[in-house]
Amino acid sequence: PANHVSRGAPPLLLIHGAADEQIPIATADRFVSALESASATDVTYLRLAKVGHCPQSIQKIDWTHQAALRFLDRTVGKRDE
């Protein structure tokens, strides 16, 4: 993906565990760096210490759910409550 970034990239929420053994955190770091270098305007990067590849490990961190909802509210629109 880092080879296909541009200033006009859509909003991105990237949540990545720093302890991921399948996709090293450096891969996500390079991707975010490439987006920043291309002046992408809306990148939210949550780099989670001690979290691995499994989605269940991210779900155990209470604030990630709220962070994702805030991102969606901001980029897609407010939810009807």
Side-chain angles (χ1 to χ4, degrees), residues 19 23 51:
I23 302 172
V51 173

Side-chain angles (χ1 to χ4, degrees), residues 15 48 51-61 64:
I15 303 173
L48 306 177
V51 173
H53 187 77
C54 180
Q56 288 81 3
S57 61
I58 292 172
Q59 292 172 351
K60 292 178 183 175
I61 301 172
T64 58

Side-chain angles (χ1 to χ4, degrees), residues 34-58:
L35 287 163
E36 290 170 349
S37 293
S39 299
T41 58
D42 193 346
V43 178
T44 302
Y45 182 27
L46 304 179
R47 191 180 199 272
L48 306 177
K50 300 179 183 178
V51 173
H53 187 77
C54 180
Q56 288 81 3
S57 61
I58 292 172

